[in-house]
Coordinates of all heavy atoms in Angstrom, one line a residue:
A68 N 166.8 70.1 77.8 CA 165.7 70.7 78.6 C 164.6 69.5 78.7 O 164.1 69.0 77.7 CB 165.1 71.9 77.8
V69 N 164.3 69.2 79.9 CA 163.3 68.1 80.2 C 162.2 68.7 81.1 O 162.5 69.2 82.2 CB 163.9 66.9 80.9 CG1 162.9 65.9 81.2 CG2 165.1 66.3 80.1
L70 N 161.0 68.7 80.6 CA 159.8 69.0 81.5 C 159.5 67.7 82.1 O 159.2 66.7 81.4 CB 158.6 69.5 80.7 CG 158.9 70.7 79.7 CD1 157.6 71.2 79.1 CD2 159.6 71.8 80.3
D71 N 159.6 67.6 83.5 CA 159.4 66.3 84.1 C 158.0 65.9 84.2 O 157.7 64.8 84.7 CB 160.1 66.3 85.5 CG 159.3 67.1 86.5 OD1 158.4 67.9 86.2 OD2 159.7 67.0 87.7
G72 N 157.0 66.7 83.8 CA 155.6 66.3 83.8 C 154.9 66.8 85.1 O 153.7 66.7 85.1
R73 N 155.7 67.2 86.1 CA 155.1 67.6 87.3 C 155.3 69.1 87.6 O 155.2 69.6 88.7 CB 155.8 66.9 88.5 CG 155.6 65.4 88.4 CD 156.4 64.6 89.4 NE 156.2 63.2 89.3 CZ 156.9 62.2 89.9 NH1 158.0 62.6 90.5 NH2 156.6 61.0 89.8
G74 N 155.8 69.8 86.5 CA 155.9 71.3 86.6 C 157.4 71.7 86.8 O 157.6 72.9 86.9
R75 N 158.3 70.8 86.8 CA 159.7 71.2 86.9 C 160.4 71.1 85.5 O 160.0 70.3 84.7 CB 160.4 70.3 87.9 CG 160.1 70.7 89.4 CD 160.9 69.8 90.3 NE 160.6 68.4 90.1 CZ 159.7 67.7 90.9 NH1 159.2 68.3 91.9 NH2 159.5 66.5 90.7
V76 N 161.5 71.9 85.4 CA 162.4 71.8 84.2 C 163.7 71.3 84.6 O 164.3 71.9 85.5 CB 162.5 73.1 83.5 CG1 163.3 73.0 82.2 CG2 161.2 73.8 83.2
L77 N 164.2 70.2 84.0 CA 165.5 69.7 84.3 C 166.4 70.1 83.2 O 166.0 69.9 82.0 CB 165.5 68.1 84.4 CG 164.4 67.5 85.2 CD1 164.5 66.0 85.2 CD2 164.5 67.9 86.7
R78 N 167.6 70.6 83.5 CA 168.5 71.1 82.4 C 169.7 70.1 82.3 O 170.3 69.7 83.3 CB 169.1 72.5 82.7 CG 168.0 73.5 82.9 CD 167.5 74.1 81.6 NE 166.4 75.0 81.8 CZ 165.6 75.4 80.8 NH1 165.7 74.9 79.6 NH2 164.6 76.3 81.1
T107 N 162.8 70.0 73.3 CA 162.2 70.0 74.6 C 161.6 68.5 74.8 O 160.8 68.1 74.0 CB 161.0 71.0 74.8 OG1 161.5 72.3 74.5 CG2 160.4 70.9 76.2
V108 N 162.2 67.9 75.9 CA 161.8 66.5 76.1 C 160.8 66.5 77.3 O 160.9 67.2 78.3 CB 163.0 65.7 76.5 CG1 162.7 64.3 77.0 CG2 164.0 65.7 75.4
L109 N 159.7 65.7 77.1 CA 158.7 65.6 78.2 C 158.0 64.3 78.1 O 158.2 63.5 77.2 CB 157.7 66.8 78.0 CG 156.8 66.9 76.9 CD1 155.6 67.8 77.2 CD2 157.5 67.4 75.6
P110 N 157.2 64.0 79.2 CA 156.5 62.7 79.1 C 155.5 62.7 78.0 O 154.9 63.7 77.7 CB 155.8 62.6 80.5 CG 156.4 63.7 81.3 CD 156.9 64.7 80.4
P378 N 151.2 77.9 80.1 CA 151.7 76.8 79.3 C 152.2 75.6 80.1 O 152.0 74.4 79.7 CB 152.8 77.3 78.4 CG 153.0 78.7 78.9 CD 151.9 79.2 79.7
M379 N 152.9 75.9 81.2 CA 153.3 74.7 82.1 C 152.1 74.0 82.6 O 152.1 72.7 82.7 CB 154.2 75.2 83.2 CG 154.8 74.1 84.0 SD 155.9 72.9 83.1 CE 157.5 73.6 83.6
M382 N 150.8 71.7 80.0 CA 151.5 70.5 79.9 C 151.3 69.5 81.0 O 151.0 68.3 80.8 CB 153.1 70.8 79.8 CG 153.5 71.6 78.6 SD 153.2 70.8 77.0 CE 151.8 71.6 76.4
N386 N 150.1 65.5 81.6 CA 151.1 64.6 82.1 C 150.8 64.1 83.5 O 149.8 63.3 83.6 CB 152.5 65.4 82.1 CG 153.1 65.5 80.6 OD1 153.8 66.4 80.4 ND2 152.8 64.5 79.8
S401 N 155.1 61.2 84.2 CA 156.2 61.9 84.7 C 157.5 61.3 84.2 O 157.5 60.1 83.8 CB 156.3 61.9 86.2 OG 155.1 62.4 86.8
I402 N 158.6 62.1 84.1 CA 159.9 61.5 83.8 C 160.6 61.3 85.1 O 161.1 62.3 85.7 CB 160.6 62.4 82.8 CG1 159.8 62.3 81.5 CG2 162.1 61.9 82.6 CD1 160.5 63.0 80.3
L413 N 159.8 67.8 71.5 CA 159.3 68.8 70.6 C 160.4 69.6 70.1 O 161.4 70.0 70.8 CB 158.3 69.7 71.4 CG 157.3 69.1 72.3 CD1 156.5 70.2 73.0 CD2 156.4 68.2 71.5
D416 N 160.2 75.2 72.2 CA 159.9 75.2 73.7 C 158.4 75.7 73.9 O 158.1 76.8 73.7 CB 160.8 76.3 74.3 CG 160.6 76.4 75.8 OD1 159.6 75.8 76.3 OD2 161.3 77.1 76.5
P417 N 157.6 74.7 74.3 CA 156.1 75.1 74.4 C 155.9 76.1 75.5 O 154.8 76.7 75.5 CB 155.5 73.7 74.8 CG 156.6 72.9 75.5 CD 157.9 73.4 74.8
L418 N 156.8 76.3 76.4 CA 156.6 77.3 77.4 C 156.8 78.8 76.9 O 156.2 79.7 77.4 CB 157.6 77.2 78.6 CG 157.6 75.8 79.3 CD1 158.6 75.8 80.4 CD2 156.2 75.4 79.7

Side-chain angles (χ1 to χ4, degrees):
V69 178
L70 308 187
D71 74 347
R73 296 169 179 166
R75 284 183 298 261
V76 185
L77 315 175
R78 301 277 175 199
T107 305
V108 174
L109 66 161
M379 183 63 99
M382 294 299 100
N386 286 151
S401 303
I402 294 189
L413 311 181
D416 178 356
L418 304 183

